[in-house]
Amino acid sequence: MAADEPRTPLPALPDETFRRVLCVVAHPDDVEYGTSAAVAAWTARGVEVGYLLLTRGEAGIDGIEPDRTRELRSAEQVAAAAEVGVTHVEFRDHPDGVLEYGLALRRDIAEEIRRFQPDVVLTGSWELEFVAGLNMADHRAVGLATLDAVRDAGNRWVFPGTEPWSARWLLVSGDPRPTHGVDVTGGPLAAGVRSLEAHAQYLAALPWHPAPADFLPAVMAQQGRALGVEHAVLFRAWDLQAPPSFD
Ligand SMILES: [Zn+2]
């Protein structure tokens, strides 16, 4: 057991109430390192899930020019989404690798929250250190901008012109202090593996990268132990409608 692994089982996310989930990430493939297995579990139950990607990952392949990479990674992301029942895939063309936290990101994310009207917004950790080690700049920028955009979207007077929308839940993937988990044993795990495999040309450019069918089940088995199930994906969950806690 890792030192930071919780000693008592984590609770399952109360996701039976979820209706619509918006996943906000920087790059094609960011959703596919665990989150997409949870997405598969949700869409199988009729939850509507959408993706918002702030870049097209055009700086992700050393040996291929960005203009070509932009096209192939966008197509691979759409295929990956389809593997877990997601057809709503939105891209914003911010520059890959040099994303800057700021109002431009917050505005784009807030506007998509108002359009898609999710009760759950899901993003990646904005911390310097996350479960996979040192976090990267684009991920930190998008995570932090999403945190702020959730609040922006609910304020009529911030980015005015569209009707405000207040999500109830903020979920953070990759956070080293997870609070909840989603059981992905069986079909959802298999769909999650297929969704990462859909990034075939991208993964082919990373010879060191382990095969999705090898490492994803192992990671989710480890997270499953925290939840008391065979395979799980863990999240830090914030109930934004809960009364404030000062203890
Ligand atoms: Zn990424």
Side-chain angles (χ1 to χ4, degrees):
M1 175 180 281
D4 56 355
E5 204 167 298
R7 294 177 198 288
T8 54
L10 291 176
L13 203 57
D15 53 8
E16 66 281 350
T17 64
F18 291 1
R19 292 180 305 107
R20 202 169 297 130
V21 180
L22 179 66
C23 302
V24 183
V25 296
H27 312 119
D29 90 355
D30 287 352
V31 177
E32 277 75 35
Y33 286 85
T35 294
S36 63
V39 168
W42 295 331
T43 58
R45 291 210 317 266
V47 179
E48 191 180 353
V49 180
Y51 293 172
L52 172 65
L53 293 94
L54 278 305
T55 82
R56 292 176 182 267
E58 68 271 14
I61 302 180
D62 183 66
I64 302 182
E65 288 294 321
D67 279 349
R68 214 177 119 217
T69 299
R70 179 181 291 115
E71 300 303 317
L72 81 86
R73 295 199 73 193
S74 300
E76 288 187 341
Q77 182 60 64
V78 170
E83 292 289 354
V84 293
V86 174
T87 56
H88 182 101
V89 183
E90 288 283 320
F91 295 93
R92 298 291 178 271
D93 290 302
H94 292 269
D96 182 19
V98 288
L99 278 182
E100 288 184 290
Y101 170 83
L103 295 179
L105 283 185
R106 281 169 54 181
R107 180 192 301 273
D108 276 357
I109 299 166
E111 286 181 349
E112 182 61 17
I113 291 171
R114 288 172 177 173
R115 249 191 309 270
F116 193 65
Q117 301 187 335
D119 45 344
V120 182
V121 175
L122 190 162
T123 192
S125 172
W126 53 85
E127 303 286 350
L128 281 170
E129 293 185 52
F130 73 139
V131 289
L134 287 174
N135 207 350
M136 74 167 297
D138 284 0
H139 298 165
R140 302 197 313 265
V142 168
L144 191 58
T146 303
L147 162 67
D148 292 336
V150 167
R151 199 182 299 262
D152 298 336
N155 186 331
R156 171 181 313 282
W157 311 115
V158 174
F159 307 133
T162 47
E163 279 298 300
W165 180 263
S166 295
R168 171 164 181 182
W169 293 94
L170 176 66
L171 304 185
V172 184
S173 67
D175 191 297
R177 301 151 301 167
T179 59
H180 293 75
V182 176
D183 186 350
V184 298
T185 306
L189 169 60
V193 168
R194 290 197 305 275
S195 74
L196 184 54
E197 289 171 342
H199 295 276
Q201 293 184 76
Y202 174 67
L203 293 177
L206 307 174
W208 50 266
H209 196 289
D214 292 338
F215 87 95
L216 275 181
V219 169
M220 291 181 206
Q222 186 184 13
Q223 299 192 11
R225 284 197 287 281
L227 195 65
V229 300
E230 193 174 344
H231 293 103
V233 178
L234 305 183
F235 297 99
R236 189 168 184 86
W238 301 90
D239 181 352
L240 304 172
Q241 293 174 6
S245 164
F246 296 107
D247 54 31

